[in-house]
Each structure stands twice: as structure tokens, then as C-alpha cells.
């Protein structure tokens, strides 16, 4: 049986017994109270009988008034009634009733006699007795007294009998209550004895088991019997011990694993108490001690870490003191952690460490601190890597010279040491034809060339000269004033150093250079500001190409700012659709019939009005906007061509100029195809004019794109032939449907036989290649006739028409007019910029 159920039954039984005992006690108390009341009634009756006897004597002696006699009779009736209730069980009560009746009868008889008898009685009483009563009265009185005594004796018998009976009943009541109390006590003893028996053994076994476990024994088990709570508790205890064994094994394994893990860490780890004493260290800490000739195998265990740090001397004394202060703050709870990086070099090795101290706290803050863990991590590899990265950040990896950032730093240090000298020169040197050298000899030769030039500059220039390489083929230099040479002479010396041939692997490479420079002047400026100035000056040198060096002036900066603003405006113009196309007709020179046109871009600037291509195309090329602008021209020309076709106008070919940048993306053919498909244009009606400059970046990708364009069915025209990179080899490799003769040859065809021969040669080449020939710049009748005489059939120029707006060119197509519209003079018009 479960102890809980047994306890409930025992408690319930005891409660029931207690209730029964209380009820028995209350009943016994009631019985005793009744018996006490009965005894009191008998005592009162005895007292009343005595008073009744006295009253009888008094009535005999004294002649009372009738009311008193009547009261006497009523009292007698009351006594008889009380005695009648006792007469059944007590015979003495019946005798007492008889005596009362006699007394009442006697008193009544006495009081019924005449006054005479009373007077006689009075006379006799006075003469013969001590009470002076008549003799008859004395006899009656003696009788009454005798009955009174008998009445009292009878009542005493009744009282004695009743008291005996009451005492006997009280004894039985007390015996019954005592028996009930004994039964209740026995039940309680049995119940609690049973509970004690069930609890004592298992509880003592459990107590002994817990004491053994507390003493460190782990194989303790409690025998399980029955199915009560102690059995459940025993099973739970055994399971807990089993789990504890498992947990101890797991914890031991975890501790061993943690120890192995800590020992395997590359950090040197020590455990300190709250006073800084070293309690334990890991293998790396011990290994470090052995490799540093420490005799103590535990290397510091038991010593005070703070004392060791504060007693350190040598190069790292300052770092050791800082480490002690930081660790002290951690141990005192002023901070949770502390870290410090410090050098720890040996005679043959550079080393750096990072010290990290972390405090250990107990689970309750009230328990205070428990010490700290100190780790020393070898960060030598990281520091060396950072130094290497810093070197790369400030140094050109190829030549070993300072890069842009390094040169800026070196310049700042130079100014700090030597001060600002207005006669110092900062120059930016650009190696020319570096691309061609790489293409011709390979990048390895190109790299060796740059290394050789860097070596020359460092060796042949003065010691205070700063030399850096800020891009692939650009060297930056600070040429200090030597008080002997003017700026131009120092620059000429620099050019002579660079222009000397370089011999690499039996190759003799001629080197050319150009640059820009700026004088430091009186106004102090940052290195970046000076770099900006020399870059602008170099840009100016590239534009003019007639001097190896140009000096920076503020006008260059203004023009550069204009280029920046123009570039910004060009980007805005693309977004706001500020460009428009004009069309210059291409005509049959013999008949004047319009057979095609060339799309020419114009820019309607919101502030400056109409801008010709020569005013913004060079900036567009420099800013890499020429590609998006060229794509806009392509799609816009296709849209206009589609509109003319839908209007039923005579179909003409539209020529669109293509820049080299549009081929750089590698997907120009897909762009053309998208334009043709967007506006459903016949590819044969679109001509793409490509300048000879495209061959400067000749490659397999370019050849593939031109082949793809041919596959689309569009016509290809070689523009400005004879002025750039023209080569019969290119004409053999690339198929062109049209060759355009540059206007420089056409305009001078009448004045210079050389130009006439060039035009004739180009016409012959076109005939051999099967390509059409278009002469640009036809501005007089005589030029037209000369071209016809040489066999040229197609031309364009101001003789026939200037570039027309879209509406005007559409009107020309609608009228199907021949050109020129009016008879021209031999004086050519001013063509402006196409």
C-alpha cells in the first residue's frame, strides 16, 4: 500500500475515533450533569421535608391563620407529587407519603375543632405542661413529631438508595468513556506504529546511502521492494546515482577533452587566482618555457604573475608594467578584460605577442571574483603580414618604388625634414608606346623595362630626389632645387636619362617619354594637390604632342574644370534627350540624285545653344561617354529611317559613325541587331562608318565583331581612309563595302598633284576590293568634275547640301529633288564643323 494512502487511512481513523471519543465524552458529561441534578433535587427534597416537619410543629403550637394552613396543605401536595415519582423504585418514598398524609390529616383535624376546645386546650396548656398545651394537643404533637422523624428517616433511605444508584451509573459512564479513550489511543498507536514501521527502514536506508554518496562512494544502491513512495524514491535515487556516474564519466571526458583542447591551442594560457598567483598552465605555456631555457617544468606555477611583470627589465619593461597594471584592474574587478600587443624579440628571431586577460566571476556576484585567465597568442605572422601589407600599400610591387600613397607619405616627410622650397619641381613622367612594347615583346620584357628605368632614376638622380611609380607607365618625381640648375635643365637631364636605350635579353629598346610638371612655388600645397597639377600638365602634353614637358598653369586647371563640367552636361544630355540628328545627303556626282545620307549629331545645350560635334565629341571620347552616345545615334537613325519608310519615301541608306569604344564591350553586333529588330529595318539600308583608328586596337575580338556585322547584312564603310592606320593588310583582313576619301585630299585635288594621285590610288584600291568610294568635302563644281574625271561616282559636301535637320531632309526626300538645288558659284561656302 502506498504510504500516502496508509497515512490518509490512519489519519481518517484517528479523526473518526477522536470524534467518537468527543461524542462519548459529551454524552457522559450530560449523564453526569443529570445525576448531579437529581442528587440536588433529592437534597432540596430533604430540605423541604425538614421544613415541612418544622412547619407541622409550628402549626400545632401556634394557631395559624387559614391562609398559612392552606399553604401548608399545598406544600404537602407538592411533596407527595415529588415522592410519588420515586415511590415505584424506592419503598421509603411510599412511607414518606403516608407520613405526610398523617401529618396533614392531624393538622387538619386539630384546626377543625371548635374554639372551645382551643380555649380548653389553652387553659390546660397553661396549667399542666411546660408548653402550657392541653393534653390532647401534647399527644397530637408527640405523634406529629414521631411521624416527622419517620418521614425524615424514609426520605434518608430514598436519598441513600438514589445516591447509590447514581454513583453506580456514574461509574459505568466513566468506565465507558475510559474504554472509548483506550480504544482511540490503541487505534492511534497501531496507526502510527504501522506508519513508523513502513517509514523507518527505507528512510534509514536512504539516509545511509546518501551519507555514503556524500563520502565519495559511487557504487551505492538502495534495495527496492514494494510499490510505495519509498520504493519510487529508491528507484529514483538509484537512477540519479546511475546518471551521476554517467555525468561524472561525461564530465571527466569533457574535462579531459577541454584540457586536451586547451593544451592543443597555440596560445600560452595560465589560470590565476584573485591575487595574481599562477594556479595552472597549459602545454603551450610549458613548451614556451622549455624553449626559452626555463628550468621549472611548470614554468611559473605558484609564482605571482603581477610580481613577475613588475620585476621585468630590458626592452619590454614598459610593456610588462602596462600588462601588470591592466591585469591588476581585471583582478580587482575594475574591468572585465584587458589586452596588449607587445614585441618579444630574441637575438635570432622577431616575435610579437598579444596578451589577453579575462576575469573569472562566480555565479553570484556576492561571492566576489575568482581570478583571471591570461593568454599570450603569438601574432608574429599577423604583424609581419601587416608590415608586408603596409609595404604593398606604400610600395610598387614591381619596381620597389613608392606607389602613389607611399610617394604622398614620402613627400610629407621630405617637407617636414627640409621645409618647403619654391624651386622644387614635381614631375609626372609618362613612358610612351608602352603598350606597343608589351604587344611586341611581351609583358615580361615590359616589366623588365620598367624595373630598369626605376633603377636608372634612383641611381642617376640626386640623393634627395623622390621617385615613385603611380601607374603602369607613369613615374612621379620630386626634383629638389640644387641652386645650380634651372628647372628646364633638370627636366632635360631627366629626359636624357629615360631616353637612353635599354638592353634586355639582347633586345635594344628605344624609350621615349613625355610629362608634365609643376613648380612648388610660394604657396604651400598638399602632395595630392601637386599630383593633380602634374596630371593636368601631362594631359596638356598629350594634347599638344610637340614638347616633352609642359608646366602646369591655372588655365590648364580651368580647361580641365570645363572638361569635367562638359562631361557632367553630356551625362545630363543623355538622360534629358538633348541630342538631335542632322543628315547630310550623299549624291550621285553625275546626276545629283540623293542615294544616301550621313547622320551627324548635334547638341542643343539648354544654356549655350547648338553645339557642334567638335565641341563635345573629344570630351565624350575621354570620358567614355562616346559609347552610349554612339548607341543613341544608332537607335535614333534607325527610328527616323523607319518613319521615312512608313511614309512611302524613296529608300535611302543611312550612314552612322561608330567609335572604337563601342567595340570594347564585345557585344556591339548584338546592339546593332537589337536596333534593326526594334524598328524592323532592312540591314542593307544601314551603313556603319568606322574610322581607321579602330585598327590601333586590332584583335581577334574586333575581327569577330566585324564578321558578325557582315553576317547581319549591314554595310561597313572605312572612314577617313589614308589619314590614320591605313594598311593594305587591314583591307585584306577586313571586308568593307565602302571607302571614304578624307576631305583633306579632296579639297586640295586641284592644287596639289600629290593629293590627286592619292585620290586616284584610293579609287584604284576600292575598285580592286569591289567597294564603293565616297569623296568627302565636295564644295565646288571644279572639284566635282575632277572627281568624275578620276572615276569617283559618289560624294558629299557643302556643294550639294549642308547637314539638314530631320524635317528638312524629309522634305528633300518628299520632293525627290536633285542636288544642288540652286546653281552654285565656284566659291566654296564656309562649311563649319560637320
Amino acid at each position: 500500500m502506498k504510504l500516502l494512502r496508509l497515512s490518509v487511512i490512519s489519519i481518517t481513523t484517528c479523526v473518526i475515533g477522536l470524534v467518537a471519543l468527543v461524542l462519548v465524552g459529551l454524552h457522559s458529561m450530560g449523564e453526569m450533569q443529570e445525576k448531579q441534578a437529581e442528587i440536588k433535587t433529592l437534597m432540596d427534597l430533604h430540605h423541604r421535608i425538614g421544613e415541612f416537619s418544622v412547619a407541622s410543629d409550628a402549626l400545632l403550637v401556634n394557631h395559624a391563620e387559614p391562609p398559612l394552613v392552606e399553604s401548608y396543605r399545598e406544600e404537602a401536595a407538592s411533596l407527595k407529587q415529588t415522592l410519588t415519582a420515586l415511590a415505584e423504585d424506592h419503598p421509603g418514598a411510599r412511607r414518606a407519603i403516608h407520613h405526610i398524609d398523617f401529618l396533614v390529616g392531624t393538622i387538619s383535624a386539630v384546626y377543625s375543632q371548635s374554639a372551645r376546645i382551643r380555649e380548653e386546650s389553652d387553659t390546660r396548656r397553661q396549667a399542666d405542661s411546660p408548653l402550657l398545651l392541653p393534653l390532647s394537643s401534647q399527644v397530637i404533637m408527640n405523634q406529629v413529631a414521631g411521624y416527622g422523624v419517620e418521614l425524615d428517616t424514609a426520605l434518608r433511605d430514598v436519598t441513600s438508595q438514589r445516591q447509590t444508584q447514581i454513583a453506580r451509573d456514574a461509574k459505568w459512564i466513566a468506565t465507558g468513556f475510559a474504554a472509548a479513550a483506550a480504544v482511540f489511543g490503541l487505534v492511534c498507536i497501531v496507526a502510527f506504529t504501522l506508519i513508523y514501521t513502513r517509514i523507518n527502514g527505507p528512510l534509514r536506508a536512504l539516509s545511509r546511502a546518501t551519507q555514503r554518496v556524500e563520502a565519495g562512494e559511487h557504487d551505492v544502491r538502495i534495495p527496492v521492494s514494494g510499490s510505495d513512495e519509498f520504493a519510487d524514491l529508491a528507484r529514483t535515487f538509484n537512477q540519479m546515482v546511475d546518471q551521476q556516474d554517467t555525468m561524472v564519466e561525461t564530465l571527466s571526458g569533457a574535462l579531459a577533452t577541454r584540457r586536451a583542447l586547451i593544451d592543443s591551442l597555440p596560445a600560452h594560457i595560465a589560470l590565476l587566482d584573485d591575487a595574481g598567483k599562477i594556479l595552472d598552465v597549459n602545454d603551450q605555456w610549458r613548451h614556451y618555457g622549455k624553449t626559452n631555457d626555463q628550468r621549472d617544468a611548470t614554468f611559473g606555477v605558484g609564482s605571482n604573475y603581477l610580481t613577475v611583470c613588475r620585476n621585468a627589465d630590458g626592452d619590454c619593461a614598459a610593456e610588462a608594467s602596462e600588462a601588470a597594471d591592466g591585469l591588476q584592474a581585471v583582478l580587482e574587478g575594475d574591468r572585465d578584460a584587458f589586452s596588449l600587443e607587445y614585441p618579444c624579440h630574441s637575438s635570432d628571431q622577431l616575435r610579437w605577442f598579444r596578451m589577453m586577460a579575462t576575469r573569472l566571476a562566480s555565479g553570484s556576484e556576492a561571492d566576489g571574483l575568482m581570478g583571471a585567465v591570461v593568454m599570450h597568442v603569438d601574432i608574429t605572422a599577423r604583424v609581419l603580414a601587416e608590415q608586408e601589407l603596409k609595404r604593398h600599400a606604400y610600395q610598387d610591387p614591381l619596381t620597389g618604388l613608392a606607389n602613389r600613397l607611399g610617394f604622398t607619405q614620402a613627400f610629407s616627410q621630405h617637407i617636414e625634414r627640409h621645409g618647403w622650397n619654391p624651386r622644387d619641381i614635381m614631375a609626372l613622367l609618362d613612358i610612351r608606346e608602352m603598350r606597343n612594347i608589351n604587344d611586341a615583346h611581351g609583358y615580361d620584357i615590359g616589366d623588365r623595362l620598367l624595373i630598369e628605368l626605376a633603377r636608372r632614376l634612383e641611381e642617376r638622380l640626386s640623393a634627395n630626389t623622390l621617385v615613385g611609380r603611380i601607374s603602369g607607365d607613369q613615374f612621379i618625381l620630386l626634383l629638389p632645387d640644387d641652386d645650380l640648375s634651372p628647372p628646364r635643365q633638370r627636366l632635360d637631364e631627366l629626359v636624357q636619362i629615360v631616353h637612353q636605350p635599354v638592353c634586355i635579353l639582347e633586345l635594344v629598346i628605344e624609350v621615349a617619354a613625355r610629362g608634365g610638371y609643376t613648380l612648388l612655388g610660394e604657396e604651400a600645397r598638399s602632395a595630392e594637390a601637386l599630383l593633380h597639377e602634374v596630371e593636368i600638365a601631362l594631359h596638356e602634353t598629350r594634347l599638344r604632342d610637340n614638347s616633352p614637358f609642359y608646366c602646369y598653369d591655372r588655365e590648364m586647371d580651368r580647361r580641365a574644370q570645363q572638361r569635367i563640367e562638359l562631361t557632367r552636361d553630356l551625362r545630363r544630355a543623355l538622360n534629358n534627350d538633348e541630342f538631335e540628328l542632322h543628315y547630310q545627303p550623299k549624291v550621285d556626282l553625275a546626276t545629283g540624285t540623293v542615294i544616301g545620307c550621313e547622320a551627324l549629331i548635334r547638341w542643343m545645350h539648354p544654356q549655350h545653344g547648338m553645339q557642334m560635334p567638335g565641341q563635345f565629341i573629344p570630351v565624350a571620347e575621354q570620358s567614355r561617354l562616346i559609347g552610349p552616345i554612339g548607341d543613341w545615334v544608332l537607335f535614333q537613325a534607325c527610328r527616323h529611317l523607319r518613319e521615312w519608310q512608313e511614309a512611302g519615301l524613296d529608300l535611302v541608306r543611312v550612314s552612322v559613325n561608330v567609335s572604337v569604344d563601342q567595340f570594347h564591350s564585345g557585344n556591339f553586333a548584338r546592339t546593332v541587331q537589337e536596333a534593326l529588330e526594334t524598328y524592323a529595318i532592312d540591314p542593307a539600308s544601314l551603313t556603319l562608318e568606322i574610322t581607321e583608328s579602330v585598327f590601333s586596337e586590332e584583335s581577334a575580338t574586333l575581327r569577330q565583331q566585324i564578321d558578325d556585322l557582315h553576317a547581319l547584312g549591314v554595310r561597313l564603310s572605312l572612314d577617313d581612309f589614308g589619314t590614320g592606320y591605313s594598311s593594305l593588310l587591314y583591307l585584306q583582313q577586313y571586308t568593307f563595302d565602302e571607302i571614304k576619301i578624307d576631305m583633306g585630299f579632296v579639297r586640295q585635288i586641284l592644287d596639289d598633284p600629290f593629293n590627286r594621285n592619292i585620290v586616284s590610288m584610293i579609287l584604284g584600291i576600292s575598285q580592286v576590293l569591289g567597294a564603293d568610294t565616297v569623296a568627302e568635302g565636295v564644295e565646288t563644281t571644279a572639284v566635282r568634275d575632277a572627281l568624275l574625271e578620276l572615276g569617283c561616282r559618289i560624294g558629299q559636301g557643302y556643294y550639294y547640301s549642308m547637314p539638314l535637320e530631320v524635317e528638312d531632309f524629309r522634305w528633300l526626300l518628299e520632293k525627290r529633288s536633285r542636288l544642288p538645288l540652286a546653281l552654285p558659284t565656284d566659291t566654296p561656302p564656309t562649311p563649319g564643323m560637320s
Side-chain angles (χ1 to χ4, degrees), residues 92-289:
R94 289 193 294 273
R95 290 198 309 272
I97 292 172
H98 174 74
H99 294 321
I100 289 172
D101 289 338
F102 177 78
L103 289 174
V104 172
T106 301
I107 295 302
S108 297
V110 171
Y111 273 86
S112 62
Q113 291 178 0
S114 61
R116 182 185 54 81
I117 296 175
R118 287 194 301 269
E119 292 177 357
E120 183 183 346
S121 299
D122 293 337
T123 302
R124 290 177 182 173
R125 180 180 54 194
Q126 294 174 359
D128 297 331
S129 82
L131 298 177
L132 302 180
L133 294 175
L135 180 62
S136 60
S137 296
Q138 291 181 8
V139 173
I140 293 171
M141 186 176 180
N142 288 333
Q143 291 177 347
V144 169
Y147 278 108
V149 172
E150 290 182 2
L151 178 62
D152 181 69
T153 301
L155 187 58
R156 286 182 183 276
D157 291 340
V158 172
T159 301
S160 176
Q161 292 176 0
R162 194 60 181 165
Q163 284 179 343
T164 301
Q165 184 178 358
I166 290 172
R168 185 172 59 252
D169 292 343
K171 180 179 179 181
W172 282 109
I173 291 173
T175 302
F177 180 79
V183 171
F184 173 74
L186 181 62
V187 170
C188 291
I189 291 173
V190 171
F192 288 106
T193 300
L194 183 59
I195 293 175
Y196 172 79
T197 304
R198 292 290 299 275
I199 291 177
N200 181 51
L203 186 61
R204 293 180 64 185
L206 182 61
S207 177
R208 287 193 300 270
T210 54
Q211 291 175 357
R212 291 174 61 189
V213 170
E214 186 177 2
E217 299 183 31
H218 298 290
D219 57 348
V220 179
R221 297 295 183 274
I222 300 176
V224 179
S225 60
S227 60
D228 58 8
E229 287 82 356
F230 276 102
D232 296 339
L233 187 60
R235 280 190 290 271
T236 302
F237 178 85
N238 294 336
Q239 291 175 359
M240 291 175 62
V241 173
D242 294 337
Q243 292 176 358
Q244 183 181 12
D245 292 341
T246 303
M247 291 172 62
V248 169
E249 294 177 359
T250 304
L251 183 59
S252 299
L255 290 174
T257 302
R258 189 189 68 173
R259 182 69 189 187
L261 179 62
I262 293 176
D263 286 340
S264 66
L265 291 176
H268 310 143
I269 303 175
L271 177 64
L272 278 61
D273 64 10
D274 56 357
K277 180 181 178 181
I278 300 177
L279 302 177
D280 195 9
V281 296
N282 70 338
D283 285 347
Q284 287 295 328
W285 185 287
R286 288 186 285 270
H287 176 71
Y288 180 79

Side-chain angles (χ1 to χ4, degrees), residues 260-496:
L261 179 62
I262 293 176
D263 286 340
S264 66
L265 291 176
H268 310 143
I269 303 175
L271 177 64
L272 278 61
D273 64 10
D274 56 357
K277 180 181 178 181
I278 300 177
L279 302 177
D280 195 9
V281 296
N282 70 338
D283 285 347
Q284 287 295 328
W285 185 287
R286 288 186 285 270
H287 176 71
Y288 180 79
K290 291 178 181 178
T291 57
N292 287 271
D293 300 328
Q294 295 289 334
R295 296 182 179 180
D296 186 2
T298 58
F299 184 36
V301 173
S303 61
N304 190 284
Y305 192 92
L306 298 174
T307 304
V308 172
C309 290
R310 292 198 169 99
N311 292 337
D313 55 8
D315 297 337
C316 299
E319 288 83 357
S321 177
E322 183 179 355
D325 293 339
L327 179 59
Q328 183 72 47
V330 171
L331 292 174
E332 292 177 354
D334 295 335
R335 55 193 304 179
D336 294 331
F338 169 76
S339 63
L340 173 69
E341 294 185 3
Y342 63 94
C344 188
H345 306 319
S346 62
S347 58
D348 59 346
Q349 185 182 9
L350 296 177
R351 290 183 300 185
W352 287 266
F353 286 91
R354 177 181 177 84
M355 171 200 172
M356 292 172 287
T358 305
R359 72 168 181 166
L360 297 175
S362 62
S364 173
E365 290 295 334
D367 294 338
L369 301 177
M370 297 177 61
V373 172
V374 175
M375 292 192 298
H376 293 262
V377 180
D378 191 336
I379 59 172
T380 303
R382 194 205 76 194
V383 172
L384 293 176
E386 288 177 351
Q387 291 180 351
E388 184 67 16
L389 288 175
K390 184 177 181 180
R391 185 179 68 82
H392 283 297
Y394 292 94
Q395 190 178 76
D396 174 40
L398 177 63
T399 63
L401 299 177
N403 59 15
R404 187 185 187 99
L405 185 60
F407 183 83
T408 301
Q409 185 184 55
F411 176 81
S412 300
Q413 294 172 353
H414 174 87
I415 297 300
E416 289 178 2
R417 288 194 300 267
H418 304 286
W420 185 272
N421 189 336
R423 291 174 54 84
D424 287 352
I425 297 174
M426 184 175 288
L428 182 60
L429 195 64
D430 180 32
I431 307 303
R432 305 187 68 175
E433 306 299 335
M434 198 63 209
R435 180 187 181 93
N436 291 337
I437 294 173
N438 288 331
D439 291 344
H441 305 292
Y443 284 94
D444 181 60
I445 298 298
D447 289 345
R448 292 192 180 191
L449 172 63
L450 293 172
I451 294 172
E452 175 61 22
L453 292 176
R455 184 188 62 79
R456 281 188 190 178
L457 293 172
E458 285 187 309
E459 291 179 353
R460 300 188 186 183
L461 295 174
S462 65
N464 290 331
T465 301
L466 300 181
V467 184
R469 177 172 174 249
I470 62 174
S471 67
D473 54 2
Q474 292 183 352
F475 293 89
I476 184 71
L477 302 100
L478 178 67
L479 305 175
D481 178 30
D482 57 5
D483 296 328
L484 298 175
S485 305
R488 176 54 64 177
Q489 183 178 344
R490 282 179 277 167
L491 293 172
D492 291 341
E493 292 174 356
L494 177 61
V495 172
Q496 290 175 6

Side-chain angles (χ1 to χ4, degrees), residues 681-731:
I681 301 301
D682 181 8
S685 62
L686 178 64
T687 301
L688 302 179
E689 296 188 4
I690 305 172
T691 62
E692 289 183 351
S693 62
V694 73
F695 298 128
S696 65
E697 302 187 16
E698 194 276 336
S699 64
T701 302
L702 174 64
R703 186 178 300 110
Q704 181 63 49
Q705 290 190 80
I706 291 180
D707 291 342
D708 292 342
L709 292 173
H710 265 297
L712 287 177
V714 299
R715 290 168 53 85
L716 297 182
S717 175
L718 182 59
D719 196 12
D720 298 334
F721 183 75
T723 61
Y725 297 85
S726 57
S727 168
L728 293 179
L729 178 62
Y730 289 144
L731 293 176

Side-chain angles (χ1 to χ4, degrees), residues 799-812:
Y799 173 76
Y800 294 102
S801 174
M802 64 182 295
L804 303 173
E805 295 184 7
V806 176
E807 293 79 4
D808 294 336
F809 186 74
R810 176 169 179 160
W811 175 87
L812 188 64

